Amino acid sequence: MIKSRKRSRKVSLITEKELKNSHISLGDEKWYTVGLLLVTITAFCTRFYAINYPDEVVFDEVHFGKFASYYLERTYFFDLHPPFAKLLIAFVGFLAGYNGEFKFTTIGESYIKNEVPYVVYRSLSAVQGSLTVPIVYLCLKECGYTVLTCVFGACIILFDGAHIAETRLILLDATLIFFVSLSIYSYIKFTKRRSEPFGQKWWKWLFFTGVSLSCVISTKYVGVFTYLTIGCGVLFDLWSLVDYKKGYSLAYVGKHFAARFFLLILVPFLIYLNWFYVHFAILSKSGPGDSFMSSEFQETLGDSPLAAFAKEVHFNDIITIKHKETDAMLHSHLANYPLRYEDGRVSSQGQQVTAYSGEDPNNNWQIISPEGLTGVVTQGDVVRLRHVGTDGYLLTHDVASPFYPTNEEFTVVGQEKATQRWNETLFRIDPYDKKKNRPLKSKASFFKLIHVPTVVAMWTHNDQLLPDWGFNQQEVNGNKKLADESNLWVVDNIVDIAEDDPRKHYVPKEVKNLPFLTKWLELQRLMFIQNNKLSSDHPFASDPISWPFSLSGVSFWTNNESRKQIYFVGNIPGWWMEVAALGSFLGLVFADQFTRRRNSLVLTNSARSRLYNNLGFFFVGWCCHYLPFFLMSRQKFLHHYLPAHLIAAMFTAGFLEFIFTDNRTEEFKDQKSSCEPNSNSSKPKEQLILWLSFSSFVALLLSIIVWTFFFFAPLTYGNTALSAEEVQQRQWLDMKLQFAK
């Protein structure tokens, strides 16, 4: 019992010391806890609400979901971003027992049909996005702001549509923003230990700052802006230590410099390298990223699982062609289309071309060069396809298909007609990744078969089968919508390869070794080169000058049948509040400097310390995360502003409390106003907050932010259909929404 009392007393003393260091009284602590719980629970609700909708690929999930699949299959890929966040996504897929079979090829592909654990994937982002909100709250708390200020700052992020949309999908930005906030929080905690240099907690928070910074820059290279933010604070600290008035020796200052260099630069860099080491260790097999790398690098990769079956296709090979989406084979047989279809339309009465799911000799086609070439077929080549069973040539023409009056009919014509209609038998192999002049390989090379004269893509579907005259097989037609990913086909098999053909026998490639740093340097160089090449126009790109105002957004996903859409845009009133606060801060700094020049000391020393040290730090952080984008020539998007917006939210909340605090010196104070009953008495006498005015103004701003959140919720979550009039009501500023007519 005595031990228990002593232990309780020790914890109490530690708590009191912590609270004293934070300028928070024991009586206030319970309200901080209530506020923290409130914003945290609400954050999880807003991020996890309807997270299973839509149950199909959304926006850039096509990239980062695909990369997770490559990790799970251990096949090498190339990307512009460092591997940390992508490894996290893949790790979640691994824990879910997923094998990575689905490749997230196109926006709109079904997760349910392909049995993808997409909710688990999205939950990783949602958890990080949810935890970012309480970290913002804690940052403001550690800076000594009131509960109301902490709640307000957290709510700017909590109810922001852009943050919600970006942190509930399979994307990298949730990880980026989470660790940006954690870096700032850790550094604030570290700076509060200035009076205890080289103590245990001083080292702990310096270490946590370095680890968080490493995670930021290991997610995206824009993390260097967070480094710049913390670096400005570190340089300020070191510069103040150099001042001879402090009485510190240069050896002591050097010790401070060495500690920061080791834990904020060296250790984070080693952690950063570690993620690349893991990246290379996992991606040990040949994959889609091979072509970016040198031949020496490629020799370090083993064959992929498909290597034994992926064989180069040669002209005059007999092949089978499979439709990617339905797994049906291109097929023809000795049966013709009927003269008239059920709706009265007339056909060509030509030989039927269908898609058939079973094995059949009529699935066999010979791939022929129109120019009589031999050797390897390359992606981008123009070819003819001869149906082996009937000795005719594949052709499409301006005749309506059985089910689609707007699509062209596919048929097979005999040798004589094929010669007369030569051009109509020409098809171009269009690779799905647009990388031409590479060998066409069975099992591995997905392509669209584009008809040269009429520019339609061969397509099939299984939602409606042909009637008895078509043996209940799938219709094949010419689709004018070339961009549809359902147009993809692959050579499934090369039939009867000769015994003396080298392709007949699979010989595993010899894997060679290359030093880790050599591989890392090559990849780093290529990542920066490819990143700088992203300078072409993009329909969703925008100029940085428009970002703080959230003038327009990005269409993430649309469903034409249900008239639903997900549109990425910020909480516009909240973003404009931040702009107003940032502008007012500059005006206040100018006014303070001007009055000081005139020897009018309006602000107290403690107020000026908060203005320049605390709010100034947040302002510098916003500048570091925003202004560098004006110097970039690469493509820029609204989501690049989210880290700057996060810091601006903390700045805005703190600045709002500052302007509702009586920060005047005694010389400029109105004695009546300083004794107003609505002023708080827990603050020092020179820092009275005008609570009635402050709380009323915050309540008004919060009401506007929350109303805007609910008003735009159908666009944030995409699970509610809107009428054309309702869409138009939400088409603010330069936003261009779907279904507005």
Side-chain angles (χ1 to χ4, degrees):
M1 191 72 179
I2 295 173
K3 283 185 178 180
S4 176
R5 284 177 184 171
K6 286 184 177 179
R7 185 178 179 184
S8 175
R9 176 61 180 162
K10 184 178 180 182
V11 172
S12 176
L13 285 171
I14 292 172
T15 305
E16 288 176 12
K17 185 178 178 181
E18 291 285 347
L19 293 175
K20 183 179 179 181
N21 194 43
S22 298
H23 307 292
I24 297 169
S25 68
L26 283 168
D28 290 338
E29 181 63 24
K30 63 179 180 181
W31 294 111
Y32 279 100
T33 303
V34 170
L36 180 62
L37 289 174
L38 181 65
V39 297
T40 303
I41 293 171
T42 311
F44 273 90
C45 291
T46 56
R47 271 63 180 174
F48 276 90
Y49 168 72
I51 197 170
N52 63 325
Y53 189 87
D55 56 5
E56 52 190 53
V57 180
V58 177
F59 196 56
D60 276 354
E61 288 185 333
V62 295
H63 300 303
F64 305 116
K66 180 188 302 177
F67 297 151
S69 292
Y70 287 143
Y71 275 124
L72 294 172
E73 291 186 334
R74 306 194 68 176
T75 54
Y76 188 79
F77 68 92
F78 176 83
D79 182 43
L80 303 175
H81 303 300
F84 173 63
K86 292 173 292 188
L87 284 167
L88 281 181
I89 298 171
F91 182 64
V92 167
F94 172 77
L95 292 178
Y98 186 57
N99 60 11
E101 183 179 358
F102 182 64
K103 293 301 183 295
F104 299 78
T105 307
T106 181
I107 295 174
E109 279 191 290
S110 172
Y111 286 134
I112 305 299
K113 178 181 176 181
N114 293 284
E115 299 180 346
V116 182
Y118 72 104
V119 172
V120 178
Y121 275 138
R122 289 177 178 174
S123 295
L124 171 66
S125 294
V127 168
Q128 293 176 108
S130 300
L131 293 177
T132 300
V133 174
I135 291 176
V136 169
Y137 181 97
L138 291 173
C139 284
L140 291 167
K141 177 191 173 186
E142 292 300 325
C143 290
Y145 290 105
T146 62
V147 175
L148 185 58
T149 301
C150 297
V151 169
F152 179 64
C155 283
I156 294 177
I157 305 300
L158 170 57
F159 293 109
D160 187 78
H163 279 274
I164 292 172
E166 198 75 13
T167 58
R168 47 184 272 112
L169 299 172
I170 310 171
L171 303 173
L172 305 185
D173 291 273
T175 304
L176 176 75
I177 296 166
F178 172 73
F179 281 104
V180 168
S181 64
L182 201 58
S183 298
I184 293 171
Y185 174 72
S186 299
Y187 184 67
I188 291 172
K189 291 286 287 186
F190 166 72
T191 58
K192 293 178 68 176
R193 297 291 165 183
R194 286 195 186 103
S195 59
E196 308 166 18
F198 308 109
Q200 182 180 355
K201 291 186 177 179
W202 187 91
W203 284 111
K204 180 181 80 171
W205 287 111
L206 184 62
F207 173 74
F208 284 161
T209 303
V211 171
S212 300
L213 285 171
S214 179
C215 291
V216 174
I217 203 165
S218 298
T219 299
K220 284 188 173 184
Y221 285 125
V222 292
V224 72
F225 302 151
T226 311
Y227 250 103
L228 185 60
T229 300
I230 302 301
C232 289
V234 169
L235 289 176
F236 179 82
D237 283 347
L238 290 175
W239 187 248
S240 65
L241 290 174
V242 172
D243 188 354
Y244 79 97
K245 295 178 182 177
K246 296 286 182 70
Y248 300 134
S249 66
L250 287 179
Y252 180 80
V253 175
K255 187 178 178 182
H256 272 274
F257 174 82
R260 287 162 173 80
F261 178 82
F262 180 74
L263 288 180
L264 296 183
I265 296 179
L266 185 58
V267 169
F269 179 68
L270 293 176
I271 296 172
Y272 170 77
L273 282 181
N274 171 72
W275 298 123
F276 280 93
Y277 185 86
V278 175
H279 176 78
F280 292 139
I282 293 175
L283 303 181
S284 59
K285 300 174 183 176
S286 179
D290 293 8
S291 59
F292 288 92
M293 314 308 295
S294 66
S295 57
E296 291 82 6
F297 189 105
Q298 292 183 43
E299 288 176 350
T300 68
L301 302 171
D303 285 333
S304 69
L306 283 176
F309 307 100
K311 304 180 185 300
E312 291 183 350
V313 178
H314 292 182
F315 284 115
N316 301 317
D317 278 345
I318 295 175
I319 61 176
T320 57
I321 304 175
K322 180 189 286 186
H323 185 238
K324 180 180 182 293
E325 188 171 277
T326 63
D327 287 336
M329 302 290 184
L330 183 64
H331 178 94
S332 187
H333 42 238
L334 283 174
N336 295 343
Y337 293 111
L339 174 62
R340 291 185 181 276
Y341 299 123
E342 286 75 359
D343 60 1
R345 290 184 297 107
V346 178
S347 78
S348 68
Q349 288 189 282
Q351 181 175 313
Q352 295 175 17
V353 173
T354 62
Y356 179 57
S357 299
E359 293 187 10
D360 192 285
N362 281 325
N363 296 343
N364 296 344
W365 301 80
Q366 185 178 28
I367 185 166
I368 298 173
S369 167
E371 300 170 353
L373 301 176
T374 58
V376 179
V377 180
T378 58
Q379 300 181 60
D381 282 351
V382 174
V383 301
R384 303 176 82 204
L385 291 174
R386 185 181 72 87
H387 186 244
V388 177
T390 60
D391 196 27
Y393 284 82
L394 186 69
L395 172 151
T396 186
H397 50 183
D398 193 16
V399 175
S401 72
F403 291 144
Y404 286 78
T406 58
N407 290 11
E408 293 186 2
E409 175 193 88
F410 265 70
T411 187
V412 168
V413 297
Q415 294 276 2
E416 184 178 349
K417 282 191 176 180
T419 302
Q420 296 170 354
R421 305 173 66 178
W422 180 273
N423 286 342
E424 292 177 283
T425 64
L426 301 180
F427 294 87
R428 186 180 73 253
I429 298 172
D430 190 32
Y432 88 98
D433 57 4
K434 302 302 179 185
K435 295 176 181 177
K436 299 182 179 181
N437 302 318
R438 293 183 302 170
L440 180 69
K441 291 186 176 182
S442 61
K443 305 288 187 182
S445 302
F446 289 93
F447 60 88
K448 299 174 184 177
L449 197 65
I450 307 296
H451 190 229
V452 174
T454 60
V455 196
V456 295
M458 186 170 72
W459 176 65
T460 186
H461 56 99
N462 59 5
D463 56 336
Q464 184 181 8
L465 300 178
L466 295 171
D468 291 342
W469 57 257
F471 307 98
N472 302 115
Q473 296 175 9
Q474 293 176 203
E475 174 199 26
V476 172
N477 63 43
N479 185 4
K480 296 179 180 178
K481 299 177 181 177
L482 299 183
D484 286 359
E485 296 295 336
S486 57
N487 294 327
L488 290 175
W489 299 76
V490 66
V491 174
D492 185 62
N493 189 32
I494 303 174
V495 180
D496 297 332
I497 299 177
E499 285 296 328
D500 60 349
D501 192 321
R503 296 176 295 166
K504 181 72 173 180
H505 307 286
Y506 168 62
V507 179
K509 63 185 287 189
E510 180 187 356
V511 178
K512 298 182 180 180
N513 292 322
L514 201 64
F516 164 70
L517 287 178
T518 302
K519 295 171 69 174
W520 177 75
L521 287 170
E522 178 180 337
L523 181 56
Q524 287 290 144
R525 181 179 61 83
L526 289 170
M527 289 167 73
F528 284 114
I529 289 173
Q530 295 299 322
N531 188 64
N532 290 331
K533 287 182 178 180
L534 293 177
S535 56
S536 58
D537 291 335
H538 191 284
F540 298 137
S542 55
D543 292 324
I545 193 67
S546 68
W547 295 347
F549 305 95
S550 192
L551 297 180
S552 62
V554 177
S555 177
F556 271 17
W557 172 85
T558 59
N559 187 303
N560 294 328
E561 294 180 4
S562 62
R563 295 179 61 86
K564 296 177 182 177
Q565 61 183 309
I566 294 177
Y567 192 81
F568 173 78
V569 70
N571 189 306
I572 295 174
W575 288 44
W576 283 64
M577 290 174 195
E578 290 183 351
V579 173
L582 292 163
S584 299
F585 172 79
L586 291 176
L588 185 57
V589 168
F590 174 79
D592 178 62
Q593 292 297 321
F594 182 81
T595 54
R596 304 289 283 196
R597 279 292 205 186
R598 302 304 301 169
N599 198 32
S600 296
L601 308 181
V602 180
L603 297 179
T604 63
N605 290 333
S606 59
R608 295 187 80 241
S609 175
R610 171 149 294 195
L611 180 68
Y612 290 101
N613 294 334
N614 182 261
L615 293 175
F617 173 73
F618 288 136
F619 183 82
V620 168
W622 174 81
C623 291
C624 290
H625 284 83
Y626 174 52
L627 298 182
F629 284 103
F630 286 94
L631 304 177
M632 296 183 184
S633 57
R634 59 152 289 171
Q635 294 169 349
K636 296 177 281 283
F637 303 92
L638 180 61
H639 68 261
H640 288 142
Y641 184 70
L642 290 183
H645 175 270
L646 175 88
I647 298 173
M650 292 185 268
F651 170 86
T652 301
F655 184 74
L656 197 62
E657 179 177 312
F658 183 88
I659 62 175
F660 277 96
T661 302
D662 191 351
N663 293 306
R664 295 170 296 175
T665 57
E666 292 296 331
E667 180 184 352
F668 290 89
K669 270 188 179 178
D670 180 351
Q671 295 301 319
K672 291 183 179 180
S673 64
S674 64
C675 299
E676 286 182 6
N678 63 326
S679 301
N680 69 321
S681 56
S682 63
K683 290 271 183 180
K685 192 172 182 180
E686 69 273 11
Q687 293 185 351
L688 296 175
I689 296 178
L690 306 176
W691 270 109
L692 182 59
S693 303
F694 178 49
S695 58
S696 299
F697 193 65
V698 168
L700 174 64
L701 296 184
L702 271 178
S703 300
I704 295 171
I705 289 173
V706 173
W707 177 87
T708 306
F709 162 73
F710 282 106
F711 184 67
F712 281 94
L715 302 179
T716 302
Y717 298 102
N719 61 343
T720 304
L722 299 174
S723 66
E725 183 181 356
E726 290 173 322
V727 172
Q728 291 170 9
Q729 291 172 354
R730 289 161 176 80
Q731 203 157 245
W732 292 9
L733 304 173
D734 295 333
M735 294 168 58
K736 293 179 175 60
L737 301 176
Q738 300 291 324
F739 317 124
K741 296 181 181 179

